[in-house]
Amino acid sequence: NAGVTQTPKFQVLKTGQSMTLQCAQDMNHEYMSWYRQDPGMGLRLIHYSVGAGITDQGEVPNGYNVSRSTTEDFPLRLLSAAPSQTSVYFCASSYSGGHSPLHFGNGTRLTVT
Amino acid sequence: SQQGEEDPQALSIQEGENATMNCSYKTSINNLQWYRQNSGRGLVHLILIRSNEREKHSGRLRVTLDTSKKSSSLLITASRAADTASYFCATDDSGGGADGLTFGKGTHLIIQP
């Protein structure tokens, strides 16, 4: 049982480049989400989805896009990378949003130069 | 914005001692959860306590919740070197808004052998 799988583990981008962070879960969870973790800031919610075809914004959505075409996958797209997006990104899933425990991937460490 | 605030920010104790971490939050909640994060890894769920519960145990972990003071504590008894990690509280807020958890900034716990 793989749980939540994130790829890549590390990525370096130049300012203005775009990329997609991949997230897949095999637990049949309806809820999936993306957080970013910055030093001294804890985790902040970027976008989330309560089911296939449904996405919504979290606390810090600017500069990011998401889509949810299947229950399993929830990719996060950086449209035009900026140094302020240097962070560690975590994907997490659960049965029922914040009402149940979140299962986290191991993160993607992104550096934008 | 951050909902939970952990205290202390950092804690260093000897192996075998008990470790207590506190979390304060600002708004009404459905539940409060505690997570552990080892260096370079994703977060792992420890305990979920609902707003109508006052105390919960899981192995060497004891969590209390005081909704009148908007605070929670995590007690780790008989600490081990493997307990060295960062610990985060997270709230499922009941006031509407984004569906997901709001995390604090974490307590970094070091267990000295």
Side-chain angles (χ1 to χ4, degrees):
Chain A
N1 191 344
V4 178
T5 302
Q6 290 184 239
T7 57
K9 286 185 168 48
F10 302 93
Q11 183 70 50
V12 179
L13 291 179
K14 294 188 189 305
T15 297
Q17 287 184 319
S18 63
M19 79 158 294
T20 299
L21 280 63
Q22 301 291 345
C23 175
Q25 53 93 8
D26 62 0
M27 296 171 283
N28 205 31
H29 286 165
E30 290 295 329
Y31 178 88
M32 295 185 74
S33 57
W34 278 100
Y35 286 85
R36 60 177 288 173
Q37 184 177 32
D38 301 294
M41 295 292 293
L43 281 81
R44 292 180 292 170
L45 182 64
I46 303 171
H47 284 285
Y48 64 96
S49 167
V50 297
I54 306 168
T55 63
D56 210 339
Q57 297 181 350
E59 181 187 352
V60 288
N62 292 340
Y64 307 94
N65 268 0
V66 292
S67 60
R68 185 93 180 271
S69 56
T70 67
T71 299
E72 294 78 21
D73 300 298
F74 191 45
L76 177 72
R77 296 182 187 84
L78 279 70
L79 308 172
S80 177
S84 61
Q85 293 178 305
T86 293
S87 187
V88 182
Y89 291 86
F90 288 100
C91 179
S93 70
S94 77
Y95 283 112
S96 179
H99 302 319
S100 54
L102 289 178
H103 297 255
F104 281 83
N106 281 326
T108 294
R109 184 174 294 274
L110 175 68
T111 302
V112 183
T113 62
Chain B
S1 60
Q2 302 298 133
Q3 160 76 308
E5 284 287 338
E6 289 90 342
D7 171 56
Q9 291 185 357
L11 179 62
S12 180
I13 61 174
Q14 295 296 123
E15 195 168 18
E17 293 180 339
N18 295 342
T20 299
M21 288 157 271
N22 302 297
C23 169
S24 59
Y25 58 92
K26 297 174 184 160
T27 63
S28 298
I29 61 172
N30 295 314
N31 69 66
L32 185 144
Q33 302 180 32
W34 285 91
Y35 288 80
R36 183 187 75 235
Q37 183 180 34
N38 292 94
S39 181
R41 308 284 296 195
L43 282 72
V44 174
H45 178 260
L46 296 175
I47 287 186
L48 181 154
I49 186 165
R50 302 194 189 284
S51 60
N52 61 352
E53 297 175 310
R54 292 297 166 256
E55 188 170 309
K56 236 176 163 177
H57 297 255
S58 176
R60 293 184 295 113
L61 306 181
R62 172 179 169 252
V63 167
T64 61
L65 178 65
D66 187 334
T67 53
S68 67
K69 295 181 179 178
K70 292 186 168 57
S71 67
S72 174
S73 67
L74 170 67
L75 168 68
I76 304 174
T77 61
S79 62
R80 305 167 181 169
D83 295 328
T84 293
S86 291
Y87 292 81
F88 295 87
C89 69
T91 54
D92 176 25
D93 305 331
S94 61
D99 185 1
L101 297 180
T102 306
F103 284 83
K105 297 178 183 178
T107 292
H108 185 52
L109 175 65
I110 297 173
I111 308 299
Q112 307 277 6

